[in-house]
Amino acid sequence: PKDEFNDWYDTEHVPDREKVPGFLTLERWVSADNPDVVLAIYDLQSIEVLQSEPYLKIGYLNPSPWTRRLMPMTKRVLRFVGEQIAPGNVIAPRNAGGLLFMGFNLEPGAEDDYAHWMDEEHLPNLSRVPGVLSARRFIATEGTHKYVAVYHLTHPEVCGSPEWLSARETPWTNRIRPRTRDRLRIACRRYDRARDRS
């Protein structure tokens, strides 16, 4: 099933989306800790792309026969659609070898403090860590986790480096962290078709 999933993804799923106007990047990642956990990230020109006629023909609500057959064999943990809040219109860098995905919710009343912390301290601090290529945050328009942060890295070990840990451990971080809920953290390496076949 894993090889067929990879065949489906590489020969149908991605090529179908590459033809849809408004898909800017299509990336696939594999958990650095568990090769059975995979992550796909698509940068879109806007979330309206998902309502466009070309996407609706092949998208989430109109799956192909191959998609319908494979989906019951997978466990989907999260489907997130959101708007990038910071930093502007930056898209995924092409040369990343690692990625850290963070998804979570916040307790009521924490939203303003979280936004200031991310924009004024957390993203700037982590952006300066050696090996961090980009640091972005998103707010959901659809999904189980309202807040997502995505860090593109030279390799997945960057998010465990002493410089990373030092940049993240601040009094403000320690005030925000207990107010987060439903945390999902996935450190990844880039998918490689030859290596990731069974």
Side-chain angles (χ1 to χ4, degrees):
K2 185 176 179 181
D3 281 351
E4 187 184 2
F5 180 87
N6 288 333
D7 288 341
W8 161 79
Y9 196 91
D10 294 341
T11 64
E12 178 183 280
H13 188 77
V14 165
D16 281 353
R17 280 148 185 78
E18 286 177 328
K19 297 171 189 170
V20 175
F23 274 76
L24 305 178
T25 68
L26 299 94
E27 296 185 331
R28 187 170 175 208
W29 300 89
V30 178
S31 166
D33 301 317
N34 182 352
D36 291 330
V37 175
V38 295
L39 183 69
I41 296 182
Y42 309 126
D43 282 322
L44 307 175
Q45 198 164 32
S46 73
I47 57 174
E48 285 71 32
V49 171
L50 301 181
Q51 301 304 319
S52 67
E53 184 177 348
Y55 179 75
L56 292 175
K57 287 180 180 178
I58 55 96
Y60 183 55
L61 298 177
N62 190 31
S64 72
W66 200 2
T67 302
R68 285 196 298 272
R69 191 167 64 78
L70 284 179
M71 285 305 98
M73 303 177 194
T74 67
K75 179 183 178 183
R76 174 176 283 146
V77 176
L78 168 72
R79 182 178 191 266
F80 174 89
V81 178
E83 294 186 357
Q84 183 168 304
I85 304 303
N89 292 324
V90 172
I91 64 172
R94 301 282 183 179
N95 58 337
L99 179 133
L100 177 65
F101 175 95
M102 293 289 303
F104 49 90
N105 293 309
L106 293 171
E107 69 177 30
E111 293 85 357
D112 287 347
D113 197 19
Y114 162 78
H116 286 295
W117 166 72
M118 284 293 281
D119 294 343
E120 297 168 21
E121 179 185 273
H122 197 62
L123 289 183
N125 281 1
L126 292 179
S127 295
R128 290 190 288 269
V129 170
V132 175
L133 303 176
S134 72
R136 302 184 290 163
R137 76 174 181 98
F138 302 80
I139 294 182
T141 58
E142 173 191 331
T144 55
H145 293 66
K146 185 172 181 181
Y147 301 94
V148 160
V150 177
Y151 306 91
H152 281 80
L153 315 169
T154 53
H155 51 81
E157 291 76 21
V158 169
C159 60
S161 69
E163 295 90 347
W164 175 282
L165 298 176
S166 176
R168 144 189 118 171
E169 292 304 321
T170 70
W172 203 352
T173 299
N174 292 332
R175 187 173 81 226
I176 291 290
R177 189 178 289 130
R179 307 189 75 184
T180 62
R181 302 289 182 268
D182 313 311
R183 289 166 60 88
L184 180 64
R185 181 185 190 275
I186 310 174
C188 302
R189 56 176 174 77
R190 188 176 289 279
Y191 165 76
D192 178 271
R193 179 170 172 81
R195 176 180 55 189
D196 290 307
R197 292 181 69 82
S198 306

